[in-house]
Amino acid sequence: MSVDRGDALFWEGDEAEHYYQVISGAIRFCKIMPDGRRQVASFYLPGDLIGIEAADKYRFSAEAVIDSVVVRFPKSRVEAAAAEDPKVGQALLTIALDRLTAAQNQMLLLGRMNATERVASFLLALASRVQLRDTMPRIVDITMSRTDIADYLGLTIETVSRAFAKLKKDRVIDLPHPQQAIVLDLARLEQLSEGAA
Amino acid sequence: MSVDRGDALFWEGDEAEHYYQVISGAIRFCKIMPDGRRQVASFYLPGDLIGIEAADKYRFSAEAVIDSVVVRFPKSRVEAAAAEDPKVGQALLTIALDRLTAAQNQMLLLGRMNATERVASFLLALASRVQLRDTMPRIVDITMSRTDIADYLGLTIETVSRAFAKLKKDRVIDLPHPQQAIVLDLARLEQLSEGAA
DNA sequence: CGTACGGTTGAGTCCAATCAAGCAGCGTGG
DNA sequence: CCACGCTGCTTGATTGGACTCAACCGTACG
């Protein structure tokens, strides 16, 4: 399946009938409050499975950040496979537990970090999630918009922009293009993400 | 095992060798930043399993909020049981997925809600997690301190206290004792937790 | 009875949100 | 080809909600 930028795989409240796996692109997993406030719980990148936490209905919406390709599995078929082969269930469990740990770390970010620390953590996470080639890439491609980043980090687009500007001014990163960052001082970035002022 | 108020089941960084199940009391699951900022990821109440997300090492600490009793299982034994009986693995998966959904909702709270909305959500969660008797209890016992609540909601103790005071002033709850709230206007509390100003 | 601790309340500060321009890239159409 | 408008990003000025600092209160406890 192809999904265009901005299109939804499913909406919060839909009957949860499918799992999705990202092949290419990026999907945001988010929830919107009645007055429009939005929180992105996570970004799903190629290889990631979407929808595993849904029991009866989806509790979050899944929308394409950029044009993407996903495969869709009927939920019932995955469940049948899991019942038949314990390894499938085990694999799902591993994914769920990893994701739980990530969610708990994100709570620390949202609950206790300031704007600069949040953006630093975000950049590090992006850098480490991209192809794990030889070493941590110095060039980080930022596929999502400032709006998506802000809603992921619990900030506004202005604050995200200012945090990028501050990191650039402090020579921690360079920002040749809004969608691309170059890590100049990895150690400093790590310090920031750990909360060292 | 008995654990006294304030004592830890394990610390962040310890080798993850055990699962724990809460029998009585309450355990907080938290992480502390180098400069002392603390985030409580969740409170575990009787029946809850602790430590399932740990792979090699614990990523969070677990400490008793009040004097508590827990049972401890060797991790290896649970894993063996899961390998043998698919139902064990399935049960673990169900727990992990429920917890993931809870964590995602907590992200919305931490990222986008104001102080009053956070406290309202917290009270509702407490009310619904206590014994599910006939209906939602009007009387909510708050076992944890303001410090723990603040670190769970990403606020300070003063702000938590002020939010409680505001809810009381607005006749949404009564607060006969700092550790006990009485829900006067459940509908309003639910509105607040959903983000209706 | 005095001290300590947890909670509340008040005053002032600060960081991020809000409000408001301004700018750069880009696709469209005259 | 270029003017135009749109969209996304940045930057500036101001505001506001939560944080900080500080005092105070009540209960528990030695």
Side-chain angles (χ1 to χ4, degrees):
Chain A
M1 282 181 58
S2 291
V3 282
D4 290 345
R5 174 192 148 102
D7 284 1
L9 295 182
F10 52 80
W11 295 98
E12 176 191 350
D14 285 358
E15 289 297 327
E17 289 165 348
H18 300 281
Y19 290 177
Y20 298 81
Q21 185 172 26
V22 182
I23 300 302
S24 70
I27 306 291
R28 64 171 173 254
F29 193 60
C30 59
K31 187 172 231 169
I32 302 185
M33 291 169 74
D35 62 357
R37 280 177 280 176
R38 191 177 71 152
Q39 179 66 38
V40 173
S42 56
F43 291 110
Y44 292 124
L45 301 182
D48 289 343
L49 265 180
I50 304 177
I52 58 169
E53 62 274 66
D56 50 342
K57 296 182 181 213
Y58 297 115
R59 301 281 172 229
F60 278 64
S61 304
E63 302 160 16
V65 169
I66 52 175
D67 293 350
S68 303
V69 178
V70 301
V71 268
R72 194 171 77 173
F73 305 99
K75 196 162 173 266
S76 54
R77 234 183 63 201
V78 177
E79 276 161 1
E84 206 174 296
D85 184 354
K87 282 184 183 170
V88 175
Q90 236 163 22
L92 280 176
L93 182 57
T94 302
I95 294 172
L97 295 178
D98 285 351
R99 219 163 269 182
L100 188 52
T101 298
Q104 287 162 349
N105 286 324
Q106 190 72 0
M107 286 190 219
L108 178 64
L109 182 150
L110 292 171
R112 291 299 179 205
M113 288 188 186
N114 66 30
T116 312
E117 291 165 350
R118 293 183 199 201
V119 170
S121 300
F122 174 70
L123 281 174
L124 275 180
L126 263 194
S128 63
R129 276 184 74 179
V130 185
Q131 273 97 296
L132 304 165
R133 306 177 203 177
D134 25 312
T135 154
M136 181 91 75
R138 303 185 68 78
I139 300 178
V140 182
D141 288 308
I142 305 168
T143 53
M144 53 289 285
S145 70
R146 293 295 187 265
T147 303
D148 287 329
I149 298 171
D151 288 342
Y152 180 59
L153 300 179
L155 300 170
T156 60
I157 53 172
E158 293 96 331
T159 301
V160 170
S161 185
R162 281 184 243 269
F164 273 117
K166 182 171 180 0
L167 289 174
K168 183 177 177 180
K169 178 177 150 286
D170 294 349
R171 308 278 169 141
V172 180
I173 62 169
D174 193 14
L175 210 61
H177 183 75
Q179 313 294 343
Q180 191 177 70
I182 298 170
V183 178
L184 300 178
D185 189 345
L186 183 59
R188 184 85 191 101
L189 209 56
E190 282 167 346
Q191 279 173 24
L192 282 169
S193 77
E194 286 155 13
Chain B
M1 281 180 60
S2 290
V3 281
D4 290 344
R5 175 191 146 103
D7 284 359
L9 295 183
F10 53 80
W11 293 99
E12 176 190 351
D14 285 356
E15 290 296 327
E17 290 165 348
H18 299 281
Y19 289 177
Y20 297 83
Q21 185 171 27
V22 183
I23 300 302
S24 69
I27 307 291
R28 63 169 175 256
F29 193 61
C30 58
K31 187 172 229 168
I32 302 187
M33 290 169 73
D35 61 358
R37 281 177 280 176
R38 192 177 69 151
Q39 180 66 36
V40 173
S42 54
F43 292 110
Y44 292 122
L45 301 183
D48 290 343
L49 264 179
I50 303 178
I52 58 169
E53 61 274 65
D56 50 341
K57 297 182 180 212
Y58 297 115
R59 300 281 174 231
F60 278 64
S61 303
E63 302 159 17
V65 169
I66 50 175
D67 292 352
S68 303
V69 178
V70 303
V71 268
R72 195 171 76 171
F73 306 99
K75 195 163 174 263
S76 55
R77 235 184 60 201
V78 177
E79 275 162 1
E84 206 175 295
D85 184 354
K87 282 183 183 170
V88 174
Q90 237 164 21
L92 280 175
L93 181 57
T94 303
I95 293 171
L97 295 177
D98 284 352
R99 220 162 267 181
L100 188 53
T101 299
Q104 288 162 348
N105 286 323
Q106 190 72 0
M107 284 189 219
L108 178 63
L109 182 149
L110 292 170
R112 291 301 180 204
M113 289 188 185
N114 65 32
T116 312
E117 291 165 351
R118 293 185 198 201
V119 170
S121 299
F122 174 70
L123 281 174
L124 274 180
L126 264 195
S128 62
R129 274 185 76 177
V130 187
Q131 271 96 298
L132 303 163
R133 304 174 204 180
D134 25 313
T135 153
M136 181 91 77
R138 303 186 71 76
I139 298 179
V140 182
D141 287 309
I142 306 168
T143 53
M144 53 290 284
S145 70
R146 293 293 186 268
T147 303
D148 287 330
I149 298 172
D151 287 342
Y152 180 59
L153 300 179
L155 300 170
T156 60
I157 53 172
E158 295 95 330
T159 302
V160 170
S161 185
R162 281 185 244 269
F164 273 117
K166 182 172 177 4
L167 289 174
K168 183 177 177 181
K169 178 175 149 287
D170 294 350
R171 307 279 168 143
V172 180
I173 62 168
D174 193 13
L175 210 60
H177 183 75
Q179 312 295 343
Q180 190 177 71
I182 298 171
V183 178
L184 299 177
D185 190 344
L186 182 59
R188 185 84 191 100
L189 209 57
E190 283 168 344
Q191 280 173 23
L192 282 168
S193 78
E194 286 156 10

